Amino acid sequence: MKEWLGREKEALTNVGLAVLRVGVGALMLTHGWGKLVNFGDNVASGMDPIGLGPGVTAALLVLAEFFCAIAIMFGLFTRLASIPPIIAMGVAFFIFHAKDPFSSKELALFYLIAFAAIMLLGAGKYSVDGILKRSRAPSHEEPMEE
């Protein structure tokens, strides 16, 4: 009975990680898609909160909010892919929206917390990272005797 509960808990944890990754990644993807299709307008807007230049800023936001979101949804290099969205949301919350009321910046804080949790917890078993980990792991099965 105790062994079954352990497997059940592990399965639920892995399903929970998948729900978190796919859900947060999909929500972030909607922001990134807008920045990707309006890239030229974003560069022309001159947004440059940390002094990298509008073009570099727009490119880094597309990387964080679109491409990293896709990688996180699939669970591909999840911990590494979580770093750009964490930085982007930290800049959005602490710098870009610093003087705004909390209601205007709480979404950035939500994403910051969610991506930090994903980075700390990893992708889980139901992900590309999980598949790669299982394929590299040595088999613990004993050979069958004939």
Side-chain angles (χ1 to χ4, degrees), residues 39-55:
F39 187 80
D41 294 338
N42 289 331
V43 172
S45 75
M47 184 175 65
D48 188 20
I50 57 175
L52 297 175

Side-chain angles (χ1 to χ4, degrees), residues 65-77:
E65 296 182 9
F66 185 77
F67 294 106
C68 288
I70 290 172
I72 290 165
M73 289 172 63
F74 283 102
L76 177 63
F77 307 120

Side-chain angles (χ1 to χ4, degrees), residues 59-136:
L60 290 173
L61 285 172
V62 169
L63 171 71
E65 296 182 9
F66 185 77
F67 294 106
C68 288
I70 290 172
I72 290 165
M73 289 172 63
F74 283 102
L76 177 63
F77 307 120
T78 306
R79 287 190 161 117
L80 182 62
S82 297
I83 295 170
I86 289 169
I87 294 169
M89 294 303 103
V91 168
F93 183 81
F94 293 107
I95 298 172
F96 190 74
H97 293 291
K99 295 179 182 175
D100 294 347
F102 185 76
S103 61
S104 296
K105 58 186 177 181
E106 70 179 307
L107 187 58
L109 182 60
F110 166 78
Y111 280 123
L112 173 63
I113 293 167
F115 284 116
I118 291 168
M119 186 185 72
L120 293 170
L121 296 170
K125 183 178 178 180
Y126 307 123
S127 65
V128 175
D129 289 346
I131 292 167
L132 293 173
K133 184 178 180 180
R134 287 190 301 276
S135 71
R136 289 190 308 249

